[in-house]
Amino acid sequence: MRPDPSLDRREFLKAAVALGGVSALSACLDRFEDDPEPVPTGADPDSLPARQFAWNDRLPTDDAGNTVLPRHQTLWYLTLDGDGPPDAGERETVAAALATLDRAYERSNEGLLSLVAYSPAYFERFDDPLPESVDLPRPRALSTFEDPALDEQDALLHLASDRPDVLLEAEEALKGEVDEANGETVEAALTDVFTLDDRRTGFVGDGMPREAAAETQLSGIPEGNPIPEESPLFMGFKAGLKRNQASEDAVTIPEGPFADGTTLHVSNIRQRLDDWYGEQDHDQRVMEMFSPTHVTEDLVPEGSVGTELGDFSGVTREIIDRIEDDALEFGRVGHAQKAARANRDAGGDALLLRRHFESTDDDAASLHFPSLQRGISQFEAVREAMNGADLTQVTPAIRQRVNNGILEYIFTDHRGNFLVPPRDRRALPPAAPDA
């Protein structure tokens, strides 16, 4: 299938990534064959950083210093055949397939950023358990009101680039459908070892959600398309501000055989945007996304997507501590205000590094939510704080999903937990490499 040629450039490219496959790649190359910008080539894998997830120094920043994620992203959920551990031949095939990408594309938003991660179910193939230095429980429902499908495939591959043609070509190389990737000979196909169980796609960038809502038939988008023009996310506000994000050092596993790795949680979240925009005005949305103080102090004025906040959400210690008073006074509490109760270390720095992006998969407005942290328990603690169950005891105005941050408007469809090993152990690592 090829994307609709009547779409403008940006929508055409986004549609091509969503469709995937050789036809979409061919359509991209045909339409933009005169594009003068060559794709920068990569490097010897041995010269690259040990941390697969160390992307920040290869990405641009906005005027406030916030990292700007690649505009186009795909997630591959992968399953190994059989029940036992992989063999040396399979490990060599995976290593060769990933090394091809390293050599073909510069490690940047203009080339390709990637990481591969492994699930608890994968590590249960081995007789030896994971070391105690790795906090990686199986995924589970994290509230009483959700029933997500649990992603327990063996592995997850995350690819990201500002160039849709790069993303599509890399995927075809991993499937063995092309002989070369950016001039580099394809040595092996990842799909010779894995079955591609699911492919999910998405995008992030100022204006892209509004365009997606305007030019496609998405479910959950209200009449009149009220998504702000500048917003990078469907819910209308900026996120991932620098001082509310953990550093890559802070999420790195510090010791043990998987030192320089990290853990990755990925949720897929559907959004009820017709009610988010239809039932509430701007101030009510600001209260529930950030805090009531953000309205009383006009920190996110009418018409703003939060740009005035700069590199910090404005959720101070004082705002966190007054959450019960806010519940009593305003009958609402903020999503960021709740989550910050668990997402700060003793010095006030964030514990989670979030890299979320939007999606139109299955013609529905949704959010892919990758979160990096030293251990999955940290993510689960933040989610528990976000549930705000304790606040329902403060006042009847706060119910489990009503006036309780944004919980009334989001629904978790999928959850998965993974270990991102260091680069030298990214090809089908054993659970206990040093055993």
Side-chain angles (χ1 to χ4, degrees):
M1 182 177 289
R2 297 166 73 94
D4 183 348
S6 68
L7 294 172
D8 68 21
R9 177 188 176 94
R10 197 152 86 166
E11 282 304 306
F12 182 92
L13 294 172
K14 193 164 60 183
V17 171
L19 290 171
V22 172
S23 296
L25 173 60
S26 177
C28 272
L29 297 177
D30 289 346
R31 179 156 175 173
F32 305 112
E33 61 182 349
D34 296 329
D35 193 327
E37 293 297 330
V39 177
T41 55
D44 183 336
D46 292 338
S47 70
L48 299 177
R51 302 175 186 176
Q52 294 189 73
F53 60 93
W55 293 6
N56 287 359
D57 67 344
R58 308 301 299 168
L59 292 170
T61 55
D62 64 16
D63 292 343
N66 303 307
T67 298
V68 179
L69 291 173
R71 299 174 68 83
H72 302 279
Q73 310 204 23
T74 59
L75 300 169
W76 277 22
Y77 290 80
L78 300 158
T79 302
L80 284 169
D81 292 335
D83 297 325
D87 61 30
E90 291 171 319
R91 194 164 284 124
E92 289 174 3
T93 298
V94 171
L98 297 175
T100 295
L101 300 186
D102 291 337
R103 287 191 289 269
Y105 306 108
E106 180 182 80
R107 186 174 155 274
S108 73
N109 58 304
E110 296 176 349
L112 181 73
L113 291 164
S114 65
L115 64 80
V116 62
Y118 297 89
S119 70
Y122 164 79
F123 288 110
E124 288 173 6
R125 292 171 173 270
F126 300 88
D127 292 334
D128 294 314
L130 281 165
E132 292 184 358
S133 54
V134 175
D135 173 10
L136 186 72
R138 278 180 174 266
R140 60 188 178 93
L142 295 177
S143 71
T144 58
F145 49 85
E146 67 174 20
D147 184 24
L150 302 180
D151 285 316
E152 301 203 80
Q153 299 92 339
D154 288 287
L156 172 66
L157 177 71
H158 186 177
L159 302 174
S161 177
D162 282 342
R163 297 279 301 255
D165 53 337
V166 167
L167 213 53
L168 292 167
E169 185 183 64
E171 289 185 283
E172 293 313 298
L174 292 169
K175 291 188 286 188
E177 297 291 342
V178 294
D179 296 327
E180 291 187 348
N182 201 27
E184 183 73 23
T185 299
V186 175
E187 293 186 10
L190 199 63
T191 51
D192 285 346
V193 171
F194 287 109
T195 296
L196 179 55
D197 183 72
D198 200 4
R199 176 182 184 268
R200 303 174 194 170
T201 71
F203 55 88
V204 63
D206 294 353
M208 294 181 79
R210 181 179 171 85
E211 290 177 2
E215 300 184 19
T216 57
Q217 300 296 316
L218 292 181
S219 63
I221 300 296
E223 290 275 338
N225 191 9
I227 301 167
E229 289 186 6
E230 297 84 12
S231 178
L233 298 170
F234 280 123
M235 296 193 81
F237 299 109
K238 292 177 70 70
L241 305 182
K242 181 178 180 180
R243 290 166 58 196
N244 297 103
Q245 292 275 63
S247 68
E248 291 174 340
D249 284 347
V251 303
T252 300
I253 296 172
E255 59 187 8
F258 292 105
D260 284 326
T262 189
T263 69
L264 170 66
H265 174 91
V266 184
S267 303
N268 176 250
I269 300 169
R270 297 293 174 101
Q271 300 165 84
R272 200 165 71 185
L273 298 172
D274 42 2
D275 288 343
W276 173 246
Y277 286 103
E279 294 179 349
Q280 307 202 101
D281 61 23
H282 175 81
D283 283 353
Q284 290 167 331
R285 291 196 295 274
V286 170
M287 277 193 189
E288 294 195 349
M289 182 60 78
F290 298 99
S291 82
T293 302
H294 282 65
V295 173
T296 59
E297 297 187 2
D298 200 24
L299 298 179
V300 185
E302 181 79 31
S304 170
V305 300
T307 307
E308 291 82 356
L309 295 171
D311 67 351
F312 179 57
S313 70
V315 178
T316 61
R317 185 72 248 174
E318 180 182 5
I319 288 176
I320 296 171
D321 290 344
R322 62 163 288 119
I323 192 166
E324 292 191 6
D325 293 335
D326 282 349
L328 290 167
E329 181 176 354
F330 298 97
R332 296 173 191 267
V333 292
H335 163 73
Q337 181 182 26
K338 286 186 298 174
R341 296 182 296 171
N343 189 21
R344 303 280 174 90
D345 64 14
D349 295 323
L351 297 171
L352 274 53
L353 175 55
R354 294 159 291 135
R355 286 175 169 163
H356 44 295
F357 53 97
E358 302 287 25
S359 176
T360 57
D361 289 347
D362 303 322
D363 294 326
S366 69
L367 174 76
H368 293 302
F369 193 93
S371 171
L372 301 172
Q373 52 283 307
R374 284 193 178 174
I376 293 297
S377 298
Q378 290 177 325
F379 176 85
E380 293 185 347
V382 174
R383 173 63 205 215
E384 182 178 357
M386 177 183 146
N387 289 339
D390 54 316
L391 300 168
T392 65
Q393 307 302 310
V394 175
T395 168
I398 308 290
R399 287 180 278 164
Q400 187 54 79
R401 301 196 73 150
V402 177
N403 298 330
N404 197 344
I406 60 175
L407 293 175
E408 188 176 354
Y409 309 100
I410 61 173
F411 301 85
T412 304
D413 266 8
H414 289 80
R415 287 195 180 284
N417 295 335
F418 303 89
L419 169 67
V420 184
R423 186 176 303 279
D424 62 356
R425 288 184 163 150
R426 66 179 173 172
L428 298 172
D434 294 339

